[in-house]
């Protein structure tokens, strides 16, 4: 299945932060398989962020 969404950068950052919080402080009732999937998702996200091209320098008015 492929899901597509449109997010503002701050919305995506909030989702990533929430996912990291869950991975780091997960209660014991969350299945290990679910945590592994979330860790993999975050790893892939981090990889894609590292591969983003360098942004153009800002021109201040």
């Amino acid at each position: 299945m492929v899901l597509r969404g449109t997010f503002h950068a701050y919305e995506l950052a909030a989702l990533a932060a929430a996912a990291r919080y869950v991975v780091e402080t997960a209660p014991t009732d969350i299945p290990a398989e679910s945590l592994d999937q979330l860790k993999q998702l975050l790893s892939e996200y981090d990889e894609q962020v590292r591969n983003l091209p360098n942004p153009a320098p800002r021109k201040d008015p």
Side-chain angles (χ1 to χ4, degrees), residues 32-55:
E33 181 179 334
S34 296
L35 286 176
D36 289 340
Q37 289 175 350
L38 194 52
K39 287 177 186 177
Q40 180 65 33
L41 179 86
L42 287 169
S43 175
E44 291 173 10
Y45 171 79
D46 290 339
E47 177 74 23
Q48 293 299 317
V49 168
R50 281 191 295 274
N51 291 329
L52 287 174
N54 292 330

Side-chain angles (χ1 to χ4, degrees), residues 2-14:
V2 175
L3 299 174
R4 290 184 178 214
T6 303
F7 301 94
H8 290 281
Y10 62 88
E11 293 170 326
L12 188 55

